[in-house]
Amino acid sequence: MSRPIAPLPDTLISQIAAGEVIERPASVLRELLDNALDAGAQAIEVRLDGGGIRRIVVTDDGAGIPRDQLALARQQHATSKIGSLTELESVTTLGFRGEALASIASVAQLTLTSRTATEPHAWQLAPGQTQPEPAAGALGTRIEVLQLFDEIPARRKFLRAEATEYAHCLDVIERMALAHPGVAIRVFHNDRAQRHWPATDLPGRLHDVLGADFMQQGVPIAAEQGLVALDGVITRPTFARNRADRQYLYVNGRHVRDRILSHAVRQAYADVLHGDRQPAWILFLTLDPNTVDVNVHPAKQEVRFRESGALHRFVVQSLSAALAGPGAAAGQAGEDAGNQRPDTAGLAVNPPPADPSVAHPPTPRPLAPGASERGATQPRATPAPWIRPPVQQPMALHEPTDPDGWQKLYRPLENTQATTAHEAATDLPLGMALGQLHGIYILAQNRDGLVVVDMHAAHERIVYESLKQKLDEAPLAAQELLVPVVIAVGEVAVALAQEYQATLQGLGLRLAAMGPGSLAVRAVPALLADGDIESLARGVLADLAQYGQSAHLTEQRNALLATMACHGAVRAHRRLTLEEMNALLRQMERTERAGQCNHGRPTWFHWSLGDLDKRFMRGQ
Ligand code: ADP
Ligand code: MG
C-alpha cells in the first residue's frame, strides 16, 4: 500500500529541520544570539524562565528587521545573509541557512518584535499572524520563544531538569560572550539577575567569564603564519583539570568543536601533561573564510578546513613554542595538587598577570573576529597587541650550549658557571643555592625571596630535553629490518601508506604494499627497532588517516627518552655540593619546559619576601 509522492507541508519541513537544529532550549538560544550578533548588537539581554523551556527572550540593540520583512524572517530558507553560492563560500556571518526562526516557530510559540532606525515605533508579529502590528519597542529586535516542544511530546521527553537546561543555556551564553567582549550581556533566570558582563576588551572578558585563576595561569598565544592567525590563552600544565570543560575553540569568531584542532592542542601538551589531565584553553583561529567550509553541520557546530594538516601543524608548533617558553613555567602547585598554596605565590620569572599591562592593556583589543566586526573577512595583519608576552623574561630560551653531546649529562651537574658571589644572585631567576633539604629539595635565594627546587624532577626534565634536542637535530635514522613485518591493514590504509610515502620515509618508516590490504614494514627508526613494530606502524597509519600527519613515532621516541631521562637523572638523597646545586639551577634556566617535570608536576616553587613577611605577619 504505497502512498503517492507528495510535497511535504511547510510546517512539517520546518519541524524536520528543527529536529537537526533545535535539540533543547540552549540550541534555540544559540540561534537567537547568533542572529543578534549578526545584526551588529552592542548589548544583548537574555531572559529565561524554567531553564528556557517555558520562556526564552533575547533582546538586542542591533539593526532590526523592517516591517515588511518580519513575516519573511520566519519563513523557511529566507535569509538576508547570503544570496549566492559564492557568498556562501566566503560567508562571515554566524547564520546563513535561513532556517533557525522557521524551525523554532515550528516547535514553539515565537513572537518577533523589531524596530529599525527609520521606523517611529516597533512592529510585532505574533504566532499565527501574517501581518505585523504596531508595538512598543526600542531600536533593535526582541524575540520571545514560549513553551518549547509543548506540542511535540516526543521531543519534550528528552528535555532534562530545568536546572540542567539552564546550565546548558549559560554555557552557550558564555561561549558567545568570550568571543564578543565588546558586546554587553545581561542574563536573567526566573526574573533574577544572573550575569552582567559589561562591554570590555578580550582580557577583561576572559577574566569576567573564566575567572582570575584562568588568567593567572594563562600563557598568551599570538601566532601568525601566512593568512592564518592564532590568538588566545592556554594555561600552564599545572593548571590542568580532570574534565575537558574549559576548552574553547573559535574559528573566525564562531564557536566550534573540531577533532583535528583539539588533537593538535592535546599533542602540544603531550610533553608536559601526562595521563587524562585536561588543559584549559581558549583559542581563536582566524583565517580566510574561503578556506573553511562552515556549511557541514546543520547547527553549525563543526567546520571543515581545506588544509587541515597544515593547520594542525601550525597549532602544534605555536602552542609547543609557548609551552616551552618561560611563561609556561609552573611556579605554584596546580589547583588540585593537594598542597596548600599561598595565593601570593607569584613568580619571579612569571610576573603575575594581575600586572595591569598584561591583563588590562590601555589599548582595547579589537573584538575577536566575528559578526560585530563586519570588516574582518581578512585575517589581521598584526597579532593582537595585548596578547604578546609582556617583556623578555630573564629565563630565556637559549639553546643549551653543551658542546660535548648529551652523554655529558650522565656526568651531571658540573659547575657550568663559576659565580658564587652573592650579588650575582640578583640577576639569576632561580638564584643561588643555600643548601639541600632532606636530600630532596634545593633551597635557593634569588632577588625576591626563596626558591625551592625538586632536584630529581628538575634534573629529569633537563636530561630529557637535552636528549630530545640532540635527536631532533639529526633526522631519524632508519634501521632496515632483516625480516620485514607484514601486517594486514585493509585497502584504505595501504592507499594511505602510498599517499604518505614521503612523509613516512622522513619519519624513518618504510612501508611497502604486499598484496591487497597488507603492508610490509621494511624499516623503522633505529631507536624504536626493539619495540612492537606492528603497533608502531598501526599507530602512525591511524594518525595519518585521522589528522593527515603523525607524531606517533616522536611520541614513542619521547616516551623512551623520558624513561632514560628518569634513570639518568640525579636521584633523591644524593648529597650535592653547592656548586652542583648551582649548576643545576643554571641548567634549569637554560632548559625549555624546565618548569614541569616529565609528568606535568612543577619542578620549582617561589616565595617572595613579601609572601614570607605575610606568613610571619611582619609589618602588620
Ligand atoms: P539566518 O540567520 O540563517 O539568516 P534565521 O532564521 O536565523 O536565518 O533568521 C532569518 C533572518 O531574520 C535573518 O537573515 C535576518 O535577516 C533576520 N533576523 C533574525 N534575527 C534578527 C535580529 N535579532 N536582528 C535583525 N535581524 C534578524
Ligand atoms: Mg540565524
Side-chain angles (χ1 to χ4, degrees), residues 1-13:
M1 43 159 270
S2 84
R3 192 203 288 278
I5 298 174
L8 296 173
D10 280 354
T11 315
L12 188 51
I13 294 178

Side-chain angles (χ1 to χ4, degrees), residues 578-597:
L578 277 183
E579 279 72 33
E580 286 177 318
M581 292 182 220
N582 282 325
L584 180 68
L585 296 177
R586 301 295 80 80
Q587 284 184 329
M588 284 175 70
E589 285 160 0
R590 287 197 309 263
T591 301
E592 294 188 347
R593 293 175 277 268
Q596 300 95 38
C597 77

Side-chain angles (χ1 to χ4, degrees), residues 101-398:
L101 293 186
S103 299
I104 298 168
S106 74
V107 294
Q109 307 279 318
L110 179 131
T111 304
L112 261 171
T113 312
S114 195
R115 177 177 161 192
T116 62
T118 55
E119 274 157 331
H121 59 77
W123 293 91
Q124 185 171 80
L125 194 65
Q129 281 182 345
T130 49
Q131 287 303 315
E133 296 194 339
L139 182 68
T141 304
R142 177 176 185 275
I143 299 191
E144 184 180 57
V145 177
L146 298 178
Q147 312 294 14
L148 181 64
F149 297 146
D150 242 19
E151 287 165 19
I152 310 183
R155 304 297 303 279
R156 176 126 202 180
K157 268 206 314 254
F158 286 98
L159 294 182
R160 312 293 295 272
E162 288 184 0
T164 309
E165 295 301 338
Y166 172 66
H168 282 288
C169 288
L170 211 51
D171 194 49
V172 163
I173 299 170
E174 283 181 358
R175 285 173 195 273
M176 180 274 285
L178 287 167
H180 301 275
V183 178
I185 297 159
R186 274 173 196 280
V187 183
F188 297 82
H189 188 213
N190 297 334
D191 283 328
R192 251 193 247 124
Q194 302 287 342
R195 295 286 187 280
H196 176 206
W197 295 309
T200 174
D201 51 20
L202 184 54
R205 183 57 63 84
L206 294 186
H207 184 276
D208 290 348
V209 177
L210 299 176
D213 256 23
F214 185 94
M215 293 305 276
Q216 257 158 34
Q217 297 293 331
V219 182
I221 300 293
E224 247 184 304
Q225 196 179 72
L227 291 176
V228 185
L230 185 70
D231 287 307
V233 176
I234 61 177
T235 54
R236 295 186 191 131
T238 43
F239 188 61
R241 314 152 61 85
N242 291 326
R243 294 175 49 204
D245 56 345
R246 280 192 163 192
Q247 303 180 340
Y248 304 92
L249 175 66
Y250 299 82
V251 173
N252 288 346
R254 180 193 306 277
H255 175 260
V256 296
R257 297 176 203 283
D258 187 78
R259 206 167 40 81
I260 295 177
L261 296 188
S262 299
H263 178 268
V265 177
R266 188 79 227 164
Q267 189 174 318
Y269 272 94
D271 228 8
V272 286
L273 199 62
H274 283 232
D276 331 317
R277 306 285 290 159
Q278 294 286 347
W281 48 268
I282 176 164
L283 290 169
F284 299 93
L285 186 72
T286 313
L287 68 176
D288 183 342
N290 281 300
T291 63
V292 46
D293 188 354
V294 292
N295 185 30
V296 293
H297 188 278
K300 296 161 287 184
Q301 299 206 357
E302 284 167 24
V303 293
R304 192 157 41 210
F305 299 107
R306 195 187 293 166
E307 296 185 38
S308 56
L311 283 175
H312 186 280
R313 261 192 307 283
F314 171 56
V315 171
V316 175
Q317 277 163 7
S318 311
L319 301 197
S320 301
L323 284 170
Q332 49 195 41
E335 49 162 8
D336 41 14
N339 44 358
Q340 138 232 67
R341 137 187 138 198
D343 51 1
T344 42
L347 291 171
V349 293
N350 294 313
D355 176 347
S357 70
V358 185
H360 291 278
T363 39
R365 183 196 190 258
L367 291 180
S372 336
E373 206 188 3
R374 266 302 82 80
T377 51
Q378 293 302 315
R380 278 177 299 94
T382 48
W386 71 275
I387 220 150
R388 285 283 172 219
V391 256
Q392 191 50 48
Q393 299 305 326
M395 198 159 150
L397 301 176
H398 300 307

Side-chain angles (χ1 to χ4, degrees), residues 31-32 34-35 38 81 94-101 300:
E31 294 294 342
L32 299 184
D34 279 1
N35 283 345
D38 281 347
K81 297 170 192 174
L94 296 167
F96 54 84
R97 298 169 62 103
E99 58 185 14
L101 293 186
K300 296 161 287 184

Side-chain angles (χ1 to χ4, degrees), residues 450-516:
L450 175 71
V451 175
V452 183
V453 175
D454 177 337
M455 71 183 197
H456 173 72
H459 194 232
E460 183 179 316
R461 168 63 76 177
I462 292 171
V463 174
Y464 174 56
E465 289 296 326
S466 170
L467 289 174
K468 265 196 323 187
Q469 211 209 350
K470 293 295 162 207
L471 288 176
D472 282 345
E473 281 162 7
L476 278 181
Q479 179 171 323
E480 298 286 326
L481 299 178
L482 287 179
V483 184
V485 177
V486 178
I487 52 178
V489 288
E491 264 130 59
V492 178
V494 172
L496 196 76
Q498 275 159 351
E499 182 185 342
Y500 283 98
Q501 203 157 26
T503 314
L504 290 167
Q505 294 253 353
L507 295 170
L509 198 61
R510 217 143 55 70
L511 304 179
M514 281 277 287

